[in-house]
Amino acid sequence: MTKRFGEITALDGVNLSIEDGEYVCVLGPTGAGKTTFLRIVAGLLEPDEGEIYIDGKCVNNLPPEARDTVYMFQQYALFPHMTVWQNVSYGPEIKDWNREKVEQLTAEILEMVRLAERRDAYPHELSGGMQQRVALGRGIASGARILLLDEPLGALDARLRVGLRTQLRQLVKDQGLTAIHVTHDQEEALMIADRVVVLRNGRIEQTGTPHEVYSRPNSIFVASFVGGANFVEGTIIGSSDAGSVMEVLGGLQIKVAVSDVGAGEKAVLAFRREDTWVGEEEVAGSNNLPGVIVSATFIGDSMEYEIRLENGVSIVSKILMSDAFKAYTEGQRVVASFPPEKGHVFPYPVMGLLKEVEAI
Ligand SMILES: Nc1ncnc2c1ncn2[C@@H]1O[C@H](COP(=O)(O)OP(=O)(O)O)[C@@H](O)[C@H]1O
Ligand SMILES: [Mg+2]
């Protein structure tokens, strides 16, 4: 699908196919086109080009209520003057089902979202997470098999958001529903999704399982947006089946995974902070980059060290606080190491490196 708003192309030839029962997260920064994508699938917006098929049928001309989808947007709205029970049973009630059927379904859904005990409470008497579960229950009660979730956890506080991730996924799986969940939160997407679709400027940048997208990013943008990484500029000086060698500022030669970038060409090396070790000694078989600790930041389960390499480039190492952990202090001379197979090389971007990383 393609969708333009005046000068802006919000979606640019997006083509995606989703399996029955799949939990897909569309991940991208603000303005990537996520909401536009969901609204088109829901039937709330018309695409300029493209067709949407559900169960093999083109639904372009079907109104939202005839699409088997339910769209739940960022700021979910509950009816404030209705109880939990009334909010959830609202959809089935207006469908004119018989009383017994409505009651049975509502009771089942309240069990499912674990709010049976709060059935007579009003929304203002519930926590944010409970309200979210009521909204989900109401969406499921509509009978739609495809949940379109627009940043569904975005309005909740951090703790709750993390707790609800697995619940949300479990609910969708238990009910055999299909979910398209859009978010700008990479951690959320990696944790919940069967498949992650990275969207940038209205285009799909990469699609894959969370592990694939994380461990084999296909662009600088994905490497930086999903998981974050150290980026170092340089030139490829040779390649073999075993890997490539890159020369960076100061003449340092770095062994990396096999890359398509040809010898003599400018390139960008990306390696994860959590794949970068800090020690006093070189590590055999790894790339060893001497430098000085610039800062140490404690972040609970791990420590982040910023290291200025001898060539002036700064990198970050993230080390889990385990029994083997050893603290280093500012100004201390160290060696930063990472294994060659953890180094991903990309062609030097036409618009420069900052543009790819800054777009976040
Ligand atoms: N109704 C609209 N009119 C004009 N521009 C819009 C409209 N809706 C979205 N856009 C633009 O389209 C782009 C994608 O927006 P959106 O789909 O909301 O992104 P996201 O949900 O990923 O933040 C943005 O540049 C946004 O400003
Ligand atoms: Mg949005």
Side-chain angles (χ1 to χ4, degrees):
M1 57 178 84
T2 291
K3 179 71 185 176
R4 298 178 200 92
F5 295 106
E7 300 277 273
I8 297 168
T9 304
L11 292 176
D12 192 359
V14 165
N15 189 3
L16 181 64
S17 114
I18 293 170
E19 297 294 319
D20 235 4
E22 200 176 9
Y23 201 119
V24 168
C25 280
V26 176
L27 171 67
T30 301
K34 304 183 297 295
T35 294
T36 304
F37 174 75
L38 270 199
R39 290 176 61 87
I40 290 177
V41 176
L44 301 166
L45 256 186
E46 264 184 61
D48 292 323
E49 290 157 35
E51 282 102 45
I52 298 101
Y53 292 86
I54 296 177
D55 282 337
K57 276 201 312 274
C58 179
V59 297
N60 280 44
N61 296 320
L62 290 186
E65 60 277 13
R67 289 193 178 195
D68 209 14
T69 53
V70 57
Y71 176 66
M72 299 178 59
F73 49 93
Q74 264 143 340
Q75 248 61 37
Y76 53 88
L78 297 176
F79 300 121
H81 57 286
M82 289 187 185
T83 63
V84 167
W85 177 275
Q86 289 165 336
N87 263 284
V88 172
S89 63
Y90 181 79
E93 292 273 13
I94 58 167
K95 279 193 179 136
D96 231 11
W97 290 352
N98 71 48
R99 172 124 234 106
E100 212 177 322
K101 191 171 164 190
V102 171
E103 294 208 341
Q104 193 193 337
L105 178 72
T106 307
E108 260 176 38
I109 289 171
L110 287 183
E111 278 298 326
M112 187 201 310
V113 295
R114 297 189 293 113
L115 282 169
E117 262 111 76
R118 305 305 306 273
R119 53 174 282 172
D120 297 323
Y122 287 88
H124 74 268
E125 298 172 312
L126 303 174
S127 69
M130 287 176 181
Q131 290 181 27
Q132 178 67 347
R133 295 201 319 255
V134 178
L136 266 172
R138 207 173 62 180
I140 293 166
S142 73
R145 310 292 300 158
I146 303 169
L147 294 187
L148 305 174
L149 307 166
D150 196 341
E151 314 248 5
L153 308 176
L156 304 171
D157 69 64
R159 249 185 101 90
L160 202 54
R161 200 158 64 220
V162 172
L164 277 177
R165 286 174 186 161
T166 39
Q167 286 184 27
L168 190 53
R169 180 187 161 85
Q170 202 53 51
L171 203 67
V172 167
K173 292 290 172 186
D174 287 349
Q175 296 305 304
L177 305 174
T178 303
I180 311 179
H181 171 148
V182 314
T183 178
H184 66 275
D185 184 333
Q186 52 99 17
E187 202 184 87
E188 183 174 302
L190 292 181
M191 212 170 138
I192 302 185
D194 294 318
R195 197 150 56 105
V196 176
V197 175
V198 183
L199 196 65
R200 180 196 190 193
N201 294 333
R203 295 187 187 181
I204 294 181
E205 187 101 349
Q206 186 168 2
T207 303
T209 63
H211 185 251
E212 280 165 356
V213 170
Y214 177 82
S215 60
R216 290 199 300 279
N218 66 2
S219 68
I220 294 171
F221 173 77
V222 174
S224 79
F225 190 61
V226 185
N230 292 305
F231 295 99
V232 181
E233 301 179 24
T235 305
I236 294 294
I237 56 171
S239 282
S240 73
D241 289 347
S244 303
V245 179
M246 183 168 160
E247 187 172 294
V248 301
L249 202 65
L252 200 61
Q253 296 194 353
I254 296 180
K255 294 197 277 301
V256 295
V258 184
S259 92
D260 302 334
V261 185
E265 286 178 46
K266 261 189 98 176
V268 172
L269 163 69
F271 53 102
R272 299 272 180 210
R273 295 159 181 177
E274 52 275 36
D275 290 331
T276 308
W277 179 250
V278 178
E280 279 150 307
E281 313 279 333
E282 295 200 343
V283 176
S286 275
N287 290 299
N288 294 293
L289 317 171
V292 172
I293 300 279
V294 176
S295 67
T297 311
F298 176 62
I299 47 172
D301 62 345
S302 52
M303 194 72 137
E304 277 192 3
Y305 290 113
E306 186 184 345
I307 301 141
R308 188 172 318 106
L309 304 181
E310 283 176 349
N311 64 7
V313 173
S314 279
I315 62 165
V316 175
S317 159
K318 183 174 170 183
I319 298 190
L320 273 179
M321 309 289 275
S322 64
D323 292 345
F325 180 79
K326 186 168 178 301
Y328 298 98
T329 50
E330 272 171 49
Q332 201 168 341
R333 298 199 57 80
V334 291
V335 180
S337 315
F338 70 93
E341 69 276 11
K342 300 289 188 186
H344 306 279
V345 168
F346 302 102
Y348 194 82
V350 189
M351 308 288 280
L353 175 58
L354 273 188
K355 192 99 182 152
E356 298 302 301
V357 181
E358 255 182 12
I360 296 163

